[in-house]
Amino acid sequence: MLHQMVPKATVIAALVNPTDPALAGPATKDAQAAGRTLGLQIHIIQASTERDIDAAFATLVKVGADGLVVCPDAFLFSRRGQIAALAIRHTIPAIYYFREFPAVGGLMSYGVSVTDGYRLAGIYAGRILKGERAGDLPVQQSTKVELIVNLRTARALGLTVPLTLLGRADEVVE
C-alpha cells in the first residue's frame, strides 16, 4: 500500500531491532522478499536504542529512502512517538504494524487487530471457566487485520491518499 502512495518509489527502508532475532530475522527476510517482488531496493536499518533511532533516520536520508516500514518489535513500539515524529520531520512516509502508531502521528498502520486477539482470549477464558480443558482447545490466531490512515500526517508529508485506500481503511485519523 505504501508503494501506491509514494510515486516511483525505488528505495524503501525497513526498521528492525536486532536484539530480538526471532522477530528481526523473519522481518528482514519478508522485507527483502517484498522488495524483490515490487522491484524496490530495500535497506535494512537496525535500531535497539533511542540514539540508534535518531541515527537510523540520518541513514534513511543519506540513502534517499522513499518510504519506511517499521517492523514489529516491543522496543520500537515503545518508541512510536519518537519514530513517528522523526518520520514527519524528515518527510519519510512510513507504515507501521499497530494502530497506536497513527494515533501518535504515524502515517498509517496495517496489521492484526489487537482488539480481536483480546476477544479470542476472552472466548478461550470463558470456555475454560465453563470446564473445558485448555489442552483440548484448538489453537486460534486472529485473522482480522485493520488499516488505519492518518490524513493529518499525509498532508504534513505532502501526500494525497488515494480514495480507494481511504475507502478500505478501518479508521481515518483527521
Side-chain angles (χ1 to χ4, degrees):
M1 286 184 212
L2 186 60
H3 73 280
Q4 293 173 345
M5 291 181 55
V6 183
K8 299 179 186 172
T10 57
V11 180
I12 301 293
L15 184 62
V16 299
N17 179 355
T19 64
D20 189 350
L23 288 175
T28 298
K29 286 181 183 178
D30 290 347
Q32 291 169 335
R36 282 190 300 277
T37 300
L38 297 170
L40 302 172
Q41 182 181 356
I42 302 294
H43 287 273
I44 304 300
I45 312 281
Q46 299 181 345
S48 59
T49 67
E50 286 182 47
R51 184 176 279 173
D52 288 348
I53 292 170
D54 290 329
F57 277 87
T59 301
L60 292 172
V61 171
K62 187 172 126 182
V63 300
D66 298 306
L68 172 68
V69 175
V70 177
C71 298
D73 176 75
F75 168 71
L76 297 176
F77 180 80
S78 75
R79 303 304 311 155
R80 62 191 174 276
Q82 176 188 9
I83 294 168
L86 286 167
I88 292 169
R89 182 179 316 140
H90 294 287
T91 61
I92 298 173
I95 188 164
Y96 309 90
Y97 54 92
F98 281 140
R99 69 175 26 253
E100 286 80 4
F101 283 89
V104 297
L107 176 59
M108 65 172 53
S109 66
Y110 184 73
V112 68
S113 168
V114 176
T115 304
D116 190 54
Y118 287 142
R119 183 188 63 76
L120 288 173
I123 291 170
Y124 263 47
R127 290 176 70 178
I128 292 168
L129 290 172
K130 290 179 182 176
E132 290 188 57
R133 287 179 13 129
D136 293 338
L137 295 175
V139 174
Q140 289 187 325
Q141 180 177 342
S142 178
T143 56
K144 181 181 180 192
V145 293
E146 54 189 9
L147 171 65
I148 314 298
V149 178
N150 187 322
L151 282 181
R152 188 177 20 178
T153 299
R155 284 190 293 274
L157 295 171
L159 298 173
T160 301
V161 181
L163 290 177
T164 54
L165 190 62
L166 288 176
R168 292 182 177 175
D170 294 285
E171 183 179 333
V172 176
V173 179
E174 303 257 3

